[in-house]
Amino acid sequence: MSNFGVRRLRVVYPYEVAFREARSAVGASAVLTKAEQCESVAEAVADCRLVVGTTVGGRRELQHRLQRLDAGARAIKRQLKTGPVALLFGSERFGLSNEELSHCHWVMRIPTREEHGSMNLGQAVAVCLYELVRGQKTAPTKIVPGGKEKKPAASREVERLTQILLEVLHTSGYVKPRAVAAEEKLRRLVRRLQLNADDTAILLGMLRQMAWKLGVNQKKDK
């Protein structure tokens, strides 16, 4: 991260070892010292306008749009003009779980040979960040009618919308309580909509009114 000028590291449930004092991080101790520890992926990506997961792909059945690193990096660089972007990596052995991937808008992979798709985690991070910073012109930002581009919604707002929608669906009987797979599917569906901040605020207002009418006990926003 320090090699390529990326300094904001967030870790979810890090190992018990004192990663902040890692001796191998020569010249990059500040990145580890200032790393933010989060209790969940939702917390880690709350303020991000785009969340991109990384995956080997292979035999795994993905529920997201998959992009190669080069195309994905161009999309990320365009999005960085409007707000923070999270690049999400899983453990080296298991990668990202389905629940963790459900917080992503789409996923990206480094093109490797089919016989050996898995990479060392540190090397994979370096390759992705190099692609993001190398001197490559990006396509012009898309302008919406009226000349003003709409800001994508922050992940915390999208997750808030997802949770209220899930409560409404539970109360209506459409989704059974504690249906983990249904929650993951719903989270992926909402993120595929790529809502902007204004639309998300409108939909949140609608859902809150529906929830109130249905007598849903909404959790207070933190």
Side-chain angles (χ1 to χ4, degrees):
M1 290 178 63
S2 183
N3 284 146
F4 302 107
V6 180
R7 303 189 181 279
R8 195 158 190 184
L9 173 64
R10 292 174 180 173
V11 293
V12 179
Y13 286 128
Y15 288 119
E16 291 300 321
V17 296
F19 72 92
R20 296 185 191 278
E21 289 79 36
R23 295 181 180 179
S24 60
V26 179
S29 59
V31 174
L32 296 179
T33 301
K34 296 178 181 178
E36 303 167 59
Q37 289 186 235
C38 303
E39 295 298 317
S40 65
V41 171
E43 178 188 343
V45 302
D47 61 341
C48 298
R49 306 284 174 179
L50 172 67
V51 182
V52 179
T54 54
T55 182
V56 174
R59 297 186 181 90
R60 184 174 187 176
E61 184 180 353
L62 296 173
Q63 304 296 322
H64 293 74
R65 178 165 56 97
L66 176 65
Q67 296 211 57
R68 278 172 51 110
L69 175 60
D70 50 353
R74 289 194 293 271
I76 290 171
K77 285 190 277 190
R78 289 196 296 271
Q79 196 69 62
L80 280 169
K81 296 176 182 178
T82 67
V85 174
L87 191 53
L88 190 61
F89 293 88
S91 72
E92 190 169 307
R93 186 175 180 184
F94 300 110
L96 294 168
S97 68
N98 287 334
E99 193 281 330
E100 290 162 345
L101 283 170
S102 71
H103 291 272
C104 301
H105 293 86
W106 44 270
V107 294
M108 182 171 70
R109 72 176 295 269
I110 298 170
T112 56
R113 70 188 184 98
E114 188 176 342
E115 295 81 1
H116 193 176
S118 180
M119 290 181 68
N120 168 276
L121 179 57
Q123 292 173 348
V125 172
V127 170
C128 290
L129 296 185
Y130 169 74
E131 186 67 29
L132 285 174
V133 301
R134 71 188 180 99
Q136 192 178 54
K137 290 185 178 180
T138 59
T141 303
K142 183 179 179 180
I143 304 298
V144 299
K148 185 177 180 180
E149 187 182 6
K150 298 282 188 178
K151 271 190 176 182
S155 282
R156 72 163 60 87
E157 297 302 316
V158 178
E159 181 62 14
R160 198 169 287 157
L161 186 152
T162 303
Q163 291 303 319
I164 296 176
L165 178 56
L166 190 64
E167 290 296 325
V168 169
L169 293 175
H170 281 163
T171 303
S172 70
Y174 186 82
V175 173
K176 293 181 180 179
R178 297 183 295 279
V180 176
E183 181 174 351
E184 292 172 5
K185 288 179 181 178
L186 182 63
R187 187 177 286 117
R188 290 194 297 266
L189 185 153
V190 172
R191 278 151 183 76
R192 283 199 299 271
L193 296 176
Q194 296 184 317
L195 297 168
N196 62 49
D198 292 344
D199 290 343
T200 301
I202 293 171
L203 287 171
L204 271 171
M206 292 178 181
L207 285 170
R208 282 180 174 136
Q209 183 67 18
M210 291 178 194
W212 177 73
K213 283 288 186 181
L214 288 169
V216 175
N217 184 20
Q218 297 180 52
K219 296 177 181 177
K220 291 184 178 180
D221 298 335
K222 293 182 178 179

